[in-house]
PDB file of all heavy atoms in Angstrom:
ATOM      1  N   VAL A 173      89.856  95.856 102.386  1.00 94.00           N
ATOM      2  CA  VAL A 173      88.857  96.002 103.415  1.00 94.00           C
ATOM      3  C   VAL A 173      87.668  94.897 103.070  1.00 94.00           C
ATOM      4  O   VAL A 173      87.069  94.278 104.011  1.00 94.00           O
ATOM      5  CB  VAL A 173      88.330  97.324 103.597  1.00 94.00           C
ATOM      6  CG1 VAL A 173      87.064  97.365 104.507  1.00 94.00           C
ATOM      7  CG2 VAL A 173      89.449  98.227 104.263  1.00 94.00           C
ATOM      8  N   SER A 174      87.297  94.788 101.938  1.00 94.00           N
ATOM      9  CA  SER A 174      86.106  93.973 101.503  1.00 94.00           C
ATOM     10  C   SER A 174      86.293  92.647 101.956  1.00 94.00           C
ATOM     11  O   SER A 174      85.175  91.932 102.475  1.00 94.00           O
ATOM     12  CB  SER A 174      85.900  94.030  99.983  1.00 94.00           C
ATOM     13  OG  SER A 174      85.541  95.426  99.597  1.00 94.00           O
ATOM     14  N   PRO A 175      87.404  91.948 101.876  1.00 95.00           N
ATOM     15  CA  PRO A 175      87.463  90.646 102.438  1.00 95.00           C
ATOM     16  C   PRO A 175      87.152  90.479 103.954  1.00 95.00           C
ATOM     17  O   PRO A 175      86.606  89.534 104.447  1.00 95.00           O
ATOM     18  CB  PRO A 175      88.966  90.145 102.124  1.00 95.00           C
ATOM     19  CG  PRO A 175      89.354  90.972 101.018  1.00 95.00           C
ATOM     20  CD  PRO A 175      88.580  92.204 101.100  1.00 95.00           C
ATOM     21  N   ILE A 176      87.480  91.550 104.704  1.00 93.00           N
ATOM     22  CA  ILE A 176      87.208  91.661 106.075  1.00 93.00           C
ATOM     23  C   ILE A 176      85.649  91.716 106.332  1.00 93.00           C
ATOM     24  O   ILE A 176      85.040  91.032 107.169  1.00 93.00           O
ATOM     25  CB  ILE A 176      88.018  92.868 106.789  1.00 93.00           C
ATOM     26  CG1 ILE A 176      89.307  92.635 106.732  1.00 93.00           C
ATOM     27  CG2 ILE A 176      87.435  93.073 108.301  1.00 93.00           C
ATOM     28  CD1 ILE A 176      90.188  93.836 107.158  1.00 93.00           C
ATOM     29  N   GLY A 177      84.930  92.482 105.506  1.00 93.00           N
ATOM     30  CA  GLY A 177      83.552  92.626 105.512  1.00 93.00           C
ATOM     31  C   GLY A 177      82.973  91.175 105.257  1.00 93.00           C
ATOM     32  O   GLY A 177      81.964  90.809 106.024  1.00 93.00           O
ATOM     33  N   ARG A 178      83.470  90.519 104.253  1.00 95.00           N
ATOM     34  CA  ARG A 178      82.860  89.126 103.995  1.00 95.00           C
ATOM     35  C   ARG A 178      83.278  88.110 105.012  1.00 95.00           C
ATOM     36  O   ARG A 178      82.359  87.366 105.372  1.00 95.00           O
ATOM     37  CB  ARG A 178      83.539  88.726 102.625  1.00 95.00           C
ATOM     38  CG  ARG A 178      82.886  89.484 101.451  1.00 95.00           C
ATOM     39  CD  ARG A 178      83.330  88.766 100.094  1.00 95.00           C
ATOM     40  NE  ARG A 178      84.584  88.673  99.822  1.00 95.00           N
ATOM     41  CZ  ARG A 178      85.480  89.724  99.279  1.00 95.00           C
ATOM     42  NH1 ARG A 178      84.821  90.834  98.926  1.00 95.00           N
ATOM     43  NH2 ARG A 178      86.739  89.684  99.088  1.00 95.00           N
ATOM     44  N   TRP A 179      84.379  88.268 105.586  1.00 95.00           N
ATOM     45  CA  TRP A 179      84.756  87.299 106.807  1.00 95.00           C
ATOM     46  C   TRP A 179      83.759  87.601 107.888  1.00 95.00           C
ATOM     47  O   TRP A 179      83.289  86.727 108.551  1.00 95.00           O
ATOM     48  CB  TRP A 179      86.192  87.567 107.219  1.00 95.00           C
ATOM     49  CG  TRP A 179      86.652  86.656 108.323  1.00 95.00           C
ATOM     50  CD1 TRP A 179      87.168  85.432 108.148  1.00 95.00           C
ATOM     51  CD2 TRP A 179      86.464  86.990 109.772  1.00 95.00           C
ATOM     52  NE1 TRP A 179      87.527  84.968 109.455  1.00 95.00           N
ATOM     53  CE2 TRP A 179      86.921  85.780 110.344  1.00 95.00           C
ATOM     54  CE3 TRP A 179      85.963  88.026 110.482  1.00 95.00           C
ATOM     55  CZ2 TRP A 179      87.058  85.758 111.747  1.00 95.00           C
ATOM     56  CZ3 TRP A 179      86.024  87.984 111.852  1.00 95.00           C
ATOM     57  CH2 TRP A 179      86.518  86.873 112.411  1.00 95.00           C
ATOM     58  N   THR A 180      83.457  88.846 108.313  1.00 95.00           N
ATOM     59  CA  THR A 180      82.627  89.198 109.249  1.00 95.00           C
ATOM     60  C   THR A 180      81.265  88.589 109.008  1.00 95.00           C
ATOM     61  O   THR A 180      80.553  88.118 109.931  1.00 95.00           O
ATOM     62  CB  THR A 180      82.612  90.620 109.451  1.00 95.00           C
ATOM     63  OG1 THR A 180      83.828  91.185 109.718  1.00 95.00           O
ATOM     64  CG2 THR A 180      81.718  91.071 110.661  1.00 95.00           C
ATOM     65  N   GLU A 181      80.748  88.706 107.832  1.00 95.00           N
ATOM     66  CA  GLU A 181      79.338  88.135 107.454  1.00 95.00           C
ATOM     67  C   GLU A 181      79.325  86.636 107.744  1.00 95.00           C
ATOM     68  O   GLU A 181      78.343  86.139 108.228  1.00 95.00           O
ATOM     69  CB  GLU A 181      79.057  88.436 106.054  1.00 95.00           C
ATOM     70  CG  GLU A 181      78.768  89.993 105.807  1.00 95.00           C
ATOM     71  CD  GLU A 181      78.566  90.264 104.294  1.00 95.00           C
ATOM     72  OE1 GLU A 181      79.099  89.623 103.533  1.00 95.00           O
ATOM     73  OE2 GLU A 181      78.056  91.412 104.147  1.00 95.00           O
ATOM     74  N   ARG A 182      80.494  85.896 107.306  1.00 97.00           N
ATOM     75  CA  ARG A 182      80.491  84.515 107.402  1.00 97.00           C
ATOM     76  C   ARG A 182      80.674  84.044 108.886  1.00 97.00           C
ATOM     77  O   ARG A 182      80.198  83.025 109.279  1.00 97.00           O
ATOM     78  CB  ARG A 182      81.711  83.944 106.630  1.00 97.00           C
ATOM     79  CG  ARG A 182      81.529  83.871 105.293  1.00 97.00           C
ATOM     80  CD  ARG A 182      82.553  83.009 104.522  1.00 97.00           C
ATOM     81  NE  ARG A 182      83.878  83.242 104.952  1.00 97.00           N
ATOM     82  CZ  ARG A 182      84.803  84.137 104.460  1.00 97.00           C
ATOM     83  NH1 ARG A 182      84.325  84.825 103.362  1.00 97.00           N
ATOM     84  NH2 ARG A 182      86.026  84.313 104.788  1.00 97.00           N
ATOM     85  N   ARG A 183      81.404  84.877 109.712  1.00 97.00           N
ATOM     86  CA  ARG A 183      81.660  84.503 111.134  1.00 97.00           C
ATOM     87  C   ARG A 183      80.924  85.199 112.296  1.00 97.00           C
ATOM     88  O   ARG A 183      81.037  84.895 113.452  1.00 97.00           O
ATOM     89  CB  ARG A 183      83.220  84.628 111.468  1.00 97.00           C
ATOM     90  CG  ARG A 183      84.155  83.969 110.465  1.00 97.00           C
ATOM     91  CD  ARG A 183      83.925  82.448 110.669  1.00 97.00           C
ATOM     92  NE  ARG A 183      84.854  81.756 109.869  1.00 97.00           N
ATOM     93  CZ  ARG A 183      84.679  80.575 109.505  1.00 97.00           C
ATOM     94  NH1 ARG A 183      83.675  79.793 109.814  1.00 97.00           N
ATOM     95  NH2 ARG A 183      85.591  80.003 108.707  1.00 97.00           N
ATOM     96  N   ALA A 184      80.014  86.054 111.840  1.00 96.00           N
ATOM     97  CA  ALA A 184      79.095  86.746 112.876  1.00 96.00           C
ATOM     98  C   ALA A 184      78.328  85.913 113.842  1.00 96.00           C
ATOM     99  O   ALA A 184      78.359  86.186 115.000  1.00 96.00           O
ATOM    100  CB  ALA A 184      78.257  87.657 112.164  1.00 96.00           C
ATOM    101  N   ARG A 185      77.762  84.898 113.306  1.00 97.00           N
ATOM    102  CA  ARG A 185      77.044  83.972 114.200  1.00 97.00           C
ATOM    103  C   ARG A 185      78.106  83.380 115.315  1.00 97.00           C
ATOM    104  O   ARG A 185      77.616  83.132 116.409  1.00 97.00           O
ATOM    105  CB  ARG A 185      76.401  82.900 113.511  1.00 97.00           C
ATOM    106  CG  ARG A 185      75.206  83.326 112.778  1.00 97.00           C
ATOM    107  CD  ARG A 185      74.309  82.151 112.207  1.00 97.00           C
ATOM    108  NE  ARG A 185      73.141  82.555 111.596  1.00 97.00           N
ATOM    109  CZ  ARG A 185      73.113  83.137 110.268  1.00 97.00           C
ATOM    110  NH1 ARG A 185      74.142  83.094 109.537  1.00 97.00           N
ATOM    111  NH2 ARG A 185      71.906  83.524 109.673  1.00 97.00           N
ATOM    112  N   GLN A 186      79.243  82.920 114.834  1.00 97.00           N
ATOM    113  CA  GLN A 186      80.137  82.309 115.743  1.00 97.00           C
ATOM    114  C   GLN A 186      80.540  83.309 116.845  1.00 97.00           C
ATOM    115  O   GLN A 186      80.671  83.071 118.117  1.00 97.00           O
ATOM    116  CB  GLN A 186      81.464  81.710 115.012  1.00 97.00           C
ATOM    117  CG  GLN A 186      81.137  80.545 114.285  1.00 97.00           C
ATOM    118  CD  GLN A 186      82.327  80.191 113.490  1.00 97.00           C
ATOM    119  OE1 GLN A 186      82.556  80.758 112.418  1.00 97.00           O
ATOM    120  NE2 GLN A 186      83.007  79.210 113.876  1.00 97.00           N
ATOM    121  N   MET A 187      80.787  84.484 116.475  1.00 97.00           N
ATOM    122  CA  MET A 187      81.196  85.643 117.412  1.00 97.00           C
ATOM    123  C   MET A 187      80.081  86.026 118.357  1.00 97.00           C
ATOM    124  O   MET A 187      80.434  86.209 119.492  1.00 97.00           O
ATOM    125  CB  MET A 187      81.670  86.857 116.535  1.00 97.00           C
ATOM    126  CG  MET A 187      83.009  86.629 115.797  1.00 97.00           C
ATOM    127  SD  MET A 187      83.633  87.778 114.654  1.00 97.00           S
ATOM    128  CE  MET A 187      82.780  89.308 115.016  1.00 97.00           C
ATOM    129  N   LEU A 188      78.816  85.985 117.853  1.00 97.00           N
ATOM    130  CA  LEU A 188      77.666  86.267 118.625  1.00 97.00           C
ATOM    131  C   LEU A 188      77.463  85.160 119.696  1.00 97.00           C
ATOM    132  O   LEU A 188      77.228  85.367 120.863  1.00 97.00           O
ATOM    133  CB  LEU A 188      76.475  86.393 117.898  1.00 97.00           C
ATOM    134  CG  LEU A 188      76.331  87.731 117.036  1.00 97.00           C
ATOM    135  CD1 LEU A 188      75.193  87.688 116.160  1.00 97.00           C
ATOM    136  CD2 LEU A 188      76.270  88.864 117.919  1.00 97.00           C
ATOM    137  N   GLU A 189      77.634  83.910 119.366  1.00 97.00           N
ATOM    138  CA  GLU A 189      77.631  82.802 120.261  1.00 97.00           C
ATOM    139  C   GLU A 189      78.782  82.840 121.334  1.00 97.00           C
ATOM    140  O   GLU A 189      78.561  82.631 122.514  1.00 97.00           O
ATOM    141  CB  GLU A 189      77.867  81.440 119.580  1.00 97.00           C
ATOM    142  CG  GLU A 189      76.548  81.045 118.628  1.00 97.00           C
ATOM    143  CD  GLU A 189      76.900  79.967 117.852  1.00 97.00           C
ATOM    144  OE1 GLU A 189      78.040  79.305 117.958  1.00 97.00           O
ATOM    145  OE2 GLU A 189      75.965  79.503 117.032  1.00 97.00           O
ATOM    146  N   ALA A 190      79.940  83.234 120.984  1.00 97.00           N
ATOM    147  CA  ALA A 190      81.029  83.377 121.831  1.00 97.00           C
ATOM    148  C   ALA A 190      80.627  84.582 122.956  1.00 97.00           C
ATOM    149  O   ALA A 190      81.073  84.414 124.043  1.00 97.00           O
ATOM    150  CB  ALA A 190      82.493  83.747 121.045  1.00 97.00           C
ATOM    151  N   ARG A 191      80.143  85.676 122.457  1.00 96.00           N
ATOM    152  CA  ARG A 191      79.694  86.799 123.346  1.00 96.00           C
ATOM    153  C   ARG A 191      78.625  86.271 124.350  1.00 96.00           C
ATOM    154  O   ARG A 191      78.842  86.541 125.498  1.00 96.00           O
ATOM    155  CB  ARG A 191      79.061  87.843 122.485  1.00 96.00           C
ATOM    156  CG  ARG A 191      80.057  88.779 121.918  1.00 96.00           C
ATOM    157  CD  ARG A 191      79.241  90.018 121.180  1.00 96.00           C
ATOM    158  NE  ARG A 191      80.014  90.830 120.549  1.00 96.00           N
ATOM    159  CZ  ARG A 191      79.619  91.877 119.689  1.00 96.00           C
ATOM    160  NH1 ARG A 191      78.343  92.200 119.771  1.00 96.00           N
ATOM    161  NH2 ARG A 191      80.551  92.602 119.175  1.00 96.00           N
ATOM    162  N   GLU A 192      77.768  85.489 123.850  1.00 96.00           N
ATOM    163  CA  GLU A 192      76.727  84.934 124.882  1.00 96.00           C
ATOM    164  C   GLU A 192      77.384  84.061 125.840  1.00 96.00           C
ATOM    165  O   GLU A 192      77.102  84.118 127.007  1.00 96.00           O
ATOM    166  CB  GLU A 192      75.623  84.227 123.992  1.00 96.00           C
ATOM    167  CG  GLU A 192      74.682  85.099 123.231  1.00 96.00           C
ATOM    168  CD  GLU A 192      73.733  84.272 122.428  1.00 96.00           C
ATOM    169  OE1 GLU A 192      73.734  83.004 122.571  1.00 96.00           O
ATOM    170  OE2 GLU A 192      73.159  84.977 121.525  1.00 96.00           O
TER     171      GLU A 192
END
Side-chain angles (χ1 to χ4, degrees):
V173 170
S174 293
I176 296 171
R178 290 190 298 274
W179 181 89
T180 304
E181 291 169 342
R182 285 193 314 271
R183 301 297 184 203
R185 282 190 180 86
Q186 289 172 284
M187 292 175 10
L188 290 170
E189 289 171 5
R191 277 186 186 177
E192 289 175 8

